[in-house]
Amino acid sequence: AVQSRGPPISTFDRAILYLSLCVLVQTAKFRPSAGRVPTGRLLVVSNAKVTENMRTQVGIIGAGPAGLFLSHLLHRAGIDCVVLEARSRAYVEGRVRAGVLEPGTIETLAALGLDERMRREGMIDEGLDIRFRGKTIRLDLPELTGKKVIIYGQQEVVKDLIAARLAAAQPLLFEAGVSELIELDGERPKIRFSHEGAEQLLECDFI
């Protein structure tokens, strides 16, 4: 298991972290390293950049909502990670996707302390209207589920997650195209990528 060196986390945070790691199991070769995972920071970080000789606990490919949420949850648990995104920051923040946040996402943003702008600018929606054979069927969400949704663009969530990660001086590299995953069956899988004109290698415990 990955050992946390941060403050105690709540049962909710543990559940979210567990589910996030389950996603990693399904999307990549997930193999724990032999023995105890190093807890000391092995990266040299300066203005959210890392040196060419890199080492981290978790390598995350893609700065979409899933990758960014995972990076924040891992950081909160005291687990080092590096996020690699092939596109530019402007592209990622301007990429329009879904615009409705369901309760799970709302609660996760709140648990991470990143819900201020969403609360201020988002629009609360308490129901859905379905048109069928000339009639309107109203689904009252609070009455049926006890919860509400918030209209807040996915790209706005991404902006908030990126801003918070950079403000915390945690490694997030844009325009870092991944070219190869190496030794996924080994104890130290690696990610080969290019960034700022140089080919680099990121050694991880998990990818």
Side-chain angles (χ1 to χ4, degrees), residues 85-161:
E85 168 57 48
R87 302 280 192 166
S88 68
R89 180 178 180 179
Y91 179 91
V92 173
E93 292 185 340
R95 183 169 48 192
V96 177
R97 292 291 187 269
V100 176
L101 302 186
E102 296 185 4
T105 304
I106 296 169
E107 292 165 5
T108 303
L109 281 169
L112 292 171
L114 302 177
D115 60 334
E116 180 180 351
R117 193 164 73 94
M118 176 194 69
R119 301 288 185 188
R120 184 176 67 250
E121 300 179 10
M123 297 182 295
I124 295 176
D125 193 348
E126 298 184 347
L128 302 174
D129 291 330
I130 300 176
R131 295 289 296 174
F132 181 71
R133 292 184 177 178
K135 297 181 179 180
T136 299
I137 301 173
R138 175 70 174 176
L139 300 180
D140 189 310
L141 296 179
E143 181 180 340
L144 294 171
T145 68
K147 299 179 181 294
K148 304 173 184 178
V149 299
I150 293 181
I151 309 301
Y152 189 67
Q154 176 176 301
Q155 70 272 20
E156 301 306 317
V157 175
V158 168
K159 289 176 185 177
D160 296 339
L161 295 174

